Structure formats: C-alpha cells, structure tokens
Amino acid sequence: RGFFYAGARNVIVSLWKVIDRHTTNLMIDFYQNLRKGKDYAAALRSAKLHLIKSEFTAHPKSWSSFVLIGR
C-alpha cells in the first residue's frame, strides 16, 4: 500500500520466494517490452511467455509468482 500512497500507479510483486536468476531474466524482458511500447500487463505477460519457452524456466515456480497490481 505504501507505494500506492506515495503515488505509484503499478507495482509488480512476487507472491513467494523466487529464483534470482529467473527473476533477473523476467525483469529484463519486462523492461525491454515496456521500451517497445507495450503496456504493463502486456509486457509482463510477454516476459512470462518468454520464460515458459525455455526448458530451464518453463516450470511455474520460475514465473508464476509475479503479478501486476494497479492500473
């Protein structure tokens, strides 16, 4: 809530502990998607789909804990 009270419109959170290397890949893809002009939800979805395509990160524990809260 603190982020929203401070003026943030969106927050991406992890619902449980995640593997750092997989998180790094997800966030890099997410921000690259934002730079391409995608909205936040589409950017996160695309980053998750990119992880699903790899045999090393296809398991839901690598990508499913991240959710977008906000607009």
Side-chain angles (χ1 to χ4, degrees):
R1 287 187 207 164
F3 288 108
F4 292 116
Y5 289 135
R9 293 184 192 170
N10 302 292
V11 178
I12 294 180
V13 298
S14 174
L15 301 175
W16 56 82
K17 189 174 180 176
V18 293
I19 299 169
D20 288 340
R21 187 172 59 211
H22 300 174
T23 302
T24 300
N25 294 338
L26 180 99
M27 288 298 149
I28 288 170
D29 286 343
F30 171 73
Y31 284 109
Q32 286 176 345
N33 290 327
L34 284 179
R35 290 182 65 196
K36 292 177 185 175
K38 292 184 179 182
D39 63 37
Y40 290 98
L44 182 58
R45 180 181 182 277
S46 181
K48 286 181 174 184
L49 289 173
H50 188 252
L51 287 181
I52 291 170
K53 289 179 184 177
S54 170
E55 69 179 279
F56 299 109
T57 56
H59 193 279
K61 71 179 180 181
S62 299
W63 54 267
S64 65
S65 71
F66 294 97
V67 294
L68 174 67
I69 301 173
R71 302 178 194 160

